Amino acid sequence: MPDSLPVVELRDATFTYAGAAEPALRGVSLTVPPGQICAVVGRAGAGKSTLCALCTGFVPHFYHGQLNGAVIVNGQDVAAHPIAELVRHVALVGSNTFSQISGARFSVYDEVAFGPENLGVPRHEIVERVDWALQALKMSHLRDRSPYALSGGQQQRLVIAAALAMRPPVLVLDEPSVQLDPPGTEELAALLRALSQQGMTILFAEHRLEWVAELADRVIALDHGAIIADGVPADVLADPVLRRAGIGWPRPALIAERARREGRWPAEHPLPVTLAGLVEGLAATRNGTHCEPGHQRNGGEGEQGSEEASHSNQVSHTSLHTLALTPPPAVPSSTPPPLVVLEQVHFIYPTGVEALRGVSLTLGRGERIALLGRNGAGKSTLVRHLNGLLRPSQGTALVAGNDTRKTTVARCARHVGIVFQDVRNQLFARTVRDEVRFGPQNLGFPPDQVEALVERAVDALDLRDAIAEHPYDLPPARRRLVAIAAVLAMNTPLLVLDEPTAGLDGAGIELLSRLIRELSAQNRSVLVVSHDLDFCYETLERVILLREGRIALDTRFDALDATAITTLDNDVGLPIEVRLRHTG
Amino acid sequence: MQRTGLFLERVGFLQRLNPLTKLTGALLLIGAAFLLPTPLAGAALLVLALMPLAVASAVLRSFVDVLLKTLLPVILSLLLVQGLFFPGADPATIMLGPFAFRRAGLEFALTTASRLLIVAGAPLLIFQTTHPIILVQALTERGMPRSIGYILLVALQLIPAMSERAAGVAEAQRARGLETEGGLLQRARGVLPLVSPLIVGALVDAEERAMAIESRAFTAPGRKTWLHDVPDPPVERSARLVMWLALGALIVWRAAVAVV
């Protein structure tokens, strides 16, 4: 395959956005052969989205600027052809799903047909393509639903289906996994592999390095717009240059590196980037055999590798257990009085949907809590009960001892701060400073205390350099940090974060993890709603699993027994470390 | 939330017709309401044409409901204002309780109201029996710019989406301690944090949506196809011709009467 003519070719491409002082891409040269799955990794602002836009013609035709060098996609010189022509050669799936929906069609089925209609595809073929795309994305049952009535994850699948129905030789995806839960990402990986085997060339930008390691044939790492590493995942993702650039490593590499430091992973063995590679390597080390780097997944062997991993019985439970990045040590929790008490809470929406069916739980001080559950399990409804935005249809919700039926949301906000997933609903001020100041001002803190809280929150989220900027002038990942800072500054005993790691790079996630631990050390509690199980496992201690409006599990990560592991696995999957132990 | 405007998912007579036939019929009815010399021609056409059509299309109840809710306040105020303050010379009055209504004013109000019933009722019936996408498709195939069709469709869907976003903004800001209830000053303080994210979000969405429809080949050159078929059988084409002729005849007849 490497001998085939490249489908995507960049020759010394440099692009500077109009009005920008620095180029977003610097001298990028790469060739992608047909059928290759090529991942682009890098910190927020490294140029990943610009590269995606460049390969699809949106740079320079939609976002203007100065382009030097050549970009050829499926034989088309991108600079010389308008987007209207390039769409026959390459499709782009952007990162914000809501605005990827055309708005011109009223059902999922028609939405997927919109692209082929515009391409003038004959009707019978449109029907064929739409049926195929919906089936591939497992959403045939949603065909008559309004695109706007879908969940975030379903909308993500819809926009991918819509792109696929255009049958592009090249598919470019900008952070395709950001809205998907773990089973959703696995399904998407399987689909992309199948498409690549059928000859489709796939280029995708992504933060989740574990997913990249499992899926990609090749990884390109960008830093400040330039390529700093390019090669197979096994080589690139465990390259020290990635850590130096703040991109980080996938967890299996980190775990093996720790094992190496502790003398349990031979220095001459390469670090694995996939779970399968880690399990194999550990087994080989234990048995005294050499670990071949070629055993790590490369190309289309990922599923086979995972299967091997999940069936491997050769890894000793104890050795893996001690190797795992153990969850943080326990902090004495539930010091009375509790922050929030829910007693037999039921909630029925006006539509008749019963989202909560008898939830009872107590959130104490200094706790770090993960709230997990599939889409539709009731997580969002539960979160809205923590500050009185929703009030129980039955049962009681007490916030700092006050019944939410007898108090206002603004009063509850003194005790519980919530950062919702869509930060665009929150940001409104002209500067980061004003944005962060809004919450504590509302709560009536004296002016000098407001300023002190703002300063602390800005520093905690590493926003000092951006304090005078407009939040919308920052990259989306930093905008999320602004939203978190704005609620952190309210100094509430409980901070609730809904999908806080979505779109954050490794450094951002590390910052967040550190912040949560610091808050916990100050006896403040943090509740995180997230699909990022590894982040939850490494940062949080208590895990609450919701299923169909009921609590299916409420325990600690370090106390997961076999039943709890099975329950968790069935609903949301397992963090890598738990899977490692479980494999043993 | 309803995202297809006034359209109701029913099976009936009008639902089977080509939108162009319905539009021509509406035009003829509106023309007749203005051109026929009978004072209450509009009201008569409502009862004799629109309501039977609504029955045949299984939308009568909601047709009457929407029409009443929309027009009743307008008709009542017309009757009051024109009845009490009509500037005409006719001194005849009708006493209703303590109020002296001018007969000419009431007649004018009734004629206008009766025309309004058709001007509003005929398009309402079209919207209730035609899926927006089918309407836009039929018009686009007849030469309406695709961009206009897109704007019409997107507006229908984005208005509910905006109201959902507005609810999300209110939640996010209330969670930050913003009081959305209370005195005028309190509420005024809340306007910026409630409105600004909505506007900025809409602007950002608009840019990204422009990218999205570009990437879905909206501006691609060449012939377009449509997923759905909008049938236009010969009988409907003939019916449209007859309706245009009838409208023409009506205009000519009225003009002739006026000249004589």
Side-chain angles (χ1 to χ4, degrees):
Chain A
M1 204 175 286
D3 296 333
S4 322
L5 278 174
V7 179
V8 178
E9 186 178 7
L10 278 78
R11 289 195 295 263
D12 201 20
T14 296
F15 180 74
T16 310
Y17 284 102
E22 296 283 310
L25 289 177
R26 299 162 195 262
V28 173
S29 294
L30 68 97
T31 53
V32 185
Q36 188 174 71
I37 304 182
C38 179
V40 184
V41 301
R43 289 200 60 183
K48 302 188 298 296
S49 295
T50 305
L51 183 59
C52 289
L54 183 58
C55 292
T56 47
F58 284 94
V59 160
H61 299 300
F62 193 89
Y63 293 112
H64 302 289
Q66 179 64 40
L67 173 66
N68 295 320
V71 184
I72 313 289
V73 177
N74 203 37
Q76 308 295 306
D77 181 350
V78 162
H81 292 83
I83 297 169
E85 284 175 28
L86 292 171
V87 289
R88 294 179 190 275
H89 304 275
V90 55
L92 172 68
V93 176
S95 56
N96 183 7
T97 52
F98 177 81
S99 48
Q100 299 286 298
I101 294 168
S102 74
R105 293 296 181 266
F106 295 80
S107 69
V108 164
Y109 196 89
D110 287 9
E111 177 68 20
V112 177
F114 183 61
E117 282 180 326
N118 291 329
L119 288 176
V121 175
R123 191 177 293 159
H124 68 273
E125 198 186 325
I126 296 181
V127 171
E128 232 171 74
R129 288 186 185 197
V130 175
D131 285 339
W132 168 80
L134 289 179
Q135 227 166 2
L137 272 302
K138 294 196 167 44
M139 53 190 323
S140 301
H141 62 293
L142 299 170
R143 53 176 284 161
D144 295 326
R145 191 84 66 86
S146 161
Y148 291 100
L150 302 178
S151 69
Q154 288 167 339
Q155 284 184 346
Q156 179 91 65
R157 278 150 58 202
L158 170 62
V159 296
I160 295 171
L164 288 183
M166 296 177 73
R167 296 268 161 90
V170 183
L171 179 64
V172 178
L173 307 109
D174 192 356
E175 294 196 43
S177 79
V178 78
Q179 295 268 3
L180 299 176
D181 56 12
T185 49
E186 275 176 36
E187 281 166 19
L188 179 60
L191 171 68
L192 294 179
R193 267 187 222 118
L195 291 170
S196 93
Q197 277 161 14
Q198 289 162 25
M200 191 181 278
T201 307
I202 295 164
L203 183 84
F204 71 107
E206 183 61 47
H207 281 306
R208 288 156 84 160
L209 300 181
E210 292 79 13
W211 196 61
V212 168
E214 297 287 346
L215 172 62
D217 298 321
R218 170 185 180 186
V219 180
I220 290 163
L222 285 180
D223 187 34
H224 291 96
I227 294 179
I228 54 167
D230 179 359
V232 293
D235 291 342
V236 173
L237 291 174
D239 188 331
V241 77
L242 261 71
R243 287 180 85 179
R244 282 201 295 275
I247 300 168
W249 280 354
R251 282 173 177 85
L254 293 172
I255 293 171
E257 195 213 23
R258 174 180 286 192
R260 183 187 274 173
R261 280 205 308 271
E262 291 166 359
R264 280 180 285 202
W265 186 281
E268 69 276 15
H269 286 190
L271 295 175
V273 295
T274 62
L275 180 64
L278 177 62
V279 170
E280 257 181 65
L282 287 169
T285 308
R286 197 178 65 86
N287 295 335
T289 55
H290 187 72
C291 171
E292 293 294 335
H295 281 199
Q296 286 176 37
R297 190 218 164 236
N298 222 330
E301 299 160 17
E303 274 178 275
Q304 193 193 339
S306 310
E307 208 171 287
E308 278 168 21
S310 62
H311 289 103
S312 168
N313 290 321
Q314 310 203 358
V315 188
S316 101
H317 179 97
T318 7
S319 71
L320 287 177
H321 184 79
T322 49
L323 278 174
L325 294 178
T326 45
V331 170
S333 61
S334 298
T335 318
L339 299 171
V340 176
V341 179
L342 303 185
E343 284 168 3
Q344 282 302 311
V345 168
H346 290 253
F347 185 79
I348 304 170
Y349 281 100
T351 52
V353 174
E354 190 174 6
L356 296 181
R357 302 159 185 246
V359 169
S360 297
L361 62 89
T362 302
L363 306 180
R365 287 184 180 270
E367 287 200 275
R368 297 193 295 267
I369 309 148
L371 178 61
L372 308 178
R374 284 183 181 164
N375 290 336
K379 302 188 295 292
S380 300
T381 310
L382 178 58
V383 162
R384 284 166 174 74
H385 277 79
L386 301 180
N387 70 347
L389 278 172
L390 293 178
R391 290 160 183 171
S393 310
Q394 256 183 66
T396 321
L398 302 174
V399 174
N402 300 310
D403 189 330
T404 56
R405 284 201 199 88
K406 295 172 187 160
T407 186
T408 64
V409 177
R411 279 173 199 274
C412 291
R414 294 169 193 283
H415 308 282
V416 181
I418 302 183
V419 185
F420 291 100
Q421 186 179 354
D422 192 347
V423 299
R424 281 201 278 192
N425 287 347
Q426 188 184 318
L427 304 178
F428 73 97
R430 286 187 183 183
T431 64
V432 169
R433 186 194 294 278
D434 289 348
E435 189 69 52
V436 179
R437 197 185 272 146
F438 179 69
Q441 260 176 349
N442 280 335
L443 298 187
F445 286 107
D448 53 337
Q449 206 180 335
V450 168
E451 292 314 312
L453 288 167
V454 169
E455 296 297 313
R456 254 168 43 201
V458 162
D459 286 335
L461 274 308
D462 199 14
L463 292 165
R464 175 63 54 191
D465 60 315
I467 196 161
E469 290 199 40
H470 195 293
Y472 273 92
D473 288 338
L474 302 176
R478 291 199 92 192
R479 254 180 255 161
R480 185 170 293 284
L481 297 182
V482 174
I484 296 173
V487 178
L488 178 71
M490 291 161 66
N491 205 24
T492 53
L494 173 62
L495 178 65
V496 179
L497 305 170
D498 193 353
E499 294 292 351
T501 61
L504 291 193
D505 57 20
I509 291 175
E510 212 174 295
L511 181 75
L512 195 61
S513 181
R514 212 168 41 235
L515 170 70
I516 291 173
R517 285 159 199 268
E518 280 167 16
L519 290 174
S520 164
Q522 295 161 19
N523 216 23
R524 290 165 72 183
S525 294
V526 182
L527 183 141
V528 175
V529 182
S530 181
H531 287 139
D532 190 341
L533 299 173
D534 295 305
F535 171 79
C536 289
Y537 182 78
E538 287 159 16
T539 308
L540 310 169
E541 46 185 14
R542 178 174 167 189
V543 52
I544 299 172
L545 176 71
L546 269 188
R547 184 195 296 144
E548 293 173 359
R550 294 190 182 88
I551 292 184
L553 191 70
D554 184 354
T555 182
R556 301 175 56 84
F557 274 122
D558 59 8
L560 288 175
D561 57 18
T563 320
I565 287 175
T566 310
T567 308
L568 209 56
D569 197 13
N570 286 341
D571 278 47
V572 292
L574 294 173
I576 282 184
E577 283 87 353
V578 177
R579 212 181 307 160
L580 257 181
R581 277 192 279 154
H582 195 46
T583 310
Chain B
M1 197 174 280
Q2 177 76 11
R3 295 182 190 274
T4 44
L6 295 161
F7 175 66
L8 302 164
E9 195 83 52
R10 308 273 163 79
V11 179
F13 173 69
L14 286 179
Q15 286 85 346
R16 283 192 291 274
L17 293 189
N18 185 293
L20 294 176
T21 311
K22 289 186 262 190
L23 284 169
T24 315
L27 208 60
L28 176 61
L29 284 176
I30 293 170
F34 280 88
L35 296 171
L36 287 175
T38 334
L40 295 179
L45 287 171
L46 175 76
V47 176
L48 297 175
L50 288 187
M51 288 178 66
L53 283 170
V55 172
S57 311
V59 295
L60 179 68
R61 204 170 142 184
S62 80
F63 172 70
V64 172
D65 189 47
V66 176
L67 203 59
L68 276 183
K69 278 183 187 155
T70 321
L71 288 190
L72 206 58
V74 180
I75 291 174
L76 285 179
S77 48
L78 251 180
L79 286 170
L80 275 177
V81 173
Q82 298 296 343
L84 293 173
F85 309 111
F86 192 69
D90 185 358
T93 54
I94 298 167
M95 291 305 292
L96 281 174
F99 300 106
F101 282 85
R102 285 171 169 259
R103 200 179 64 188
L106 285 181
E107 276 174 10
F108 175 78
L110 281 173
T111 310
T112 311
S114 137
R115 286 171 178 168
L116 267 182
L117 287 172
I118 293 299
V119 170
L124 171 65
L125 200 52
I126 293 180
F127 292 131
Q128 286 190 327
T129 58
T130 316
H131 194 289
I133 211 162
I134 299 294
L135 184 60
V136 165
Q137 180 176 340
L139 293 173
T140 311
E141 283 173 344
R142 289 291 164 142
M144 183 176 77
R146 294 173 70 241
S147 51
I148 304 254
Y150 178 77
I151 290 167
L152 292 176
L153 294 175
V154 94
L156 278 178
Q157 300 215 71
L158 288 191
I159 290 165
M162 283 287 275
S163 87
E164 276 163 25
R165 169 154 275 174
V169 171
E171 277 193 340
Q173 307 302 32
R174 287 172 76 203
R176 293 167 79 192
L178 179 72
E179 280 285 11
T180 50
E181 289 154 16
L184 207 63
L185 199 68
Q186 192 84 29
R187 281 168 193 244
R189 220 185 136 233
V191 168
L192 185 67
L194 290 177
V195 172
S196 171
L198 206 59
I199 293 172
V200 176
L203 291 176
V204 174
D205 277 350
E207 182 182 271
E208 290 178 357
R209 185 161 291 107
M211 262 180 89
I213 62 163
E214 278 271 27
S215 65
R216 307 278 291 287
F218 189 71
T219 55
R223 198 178 59 87
K224 311 288 173 189
T225 41
W226 294 88
L227 176 63
H228 301 289
D229 189 24
V230 182
D232 192 14
V235 62
E236 283 199 48
R237 288 203 290 271
S238 311
R240 286 205 294 275
L241 184 64
V242 170
M243 286 192 279
W244 280 116
L245 287 174
L247 186 60
L250 209 55
I251 294 169
V252 170
W253 173 67
R254 275 303 279 184
V257 169
V259 169
V260 172

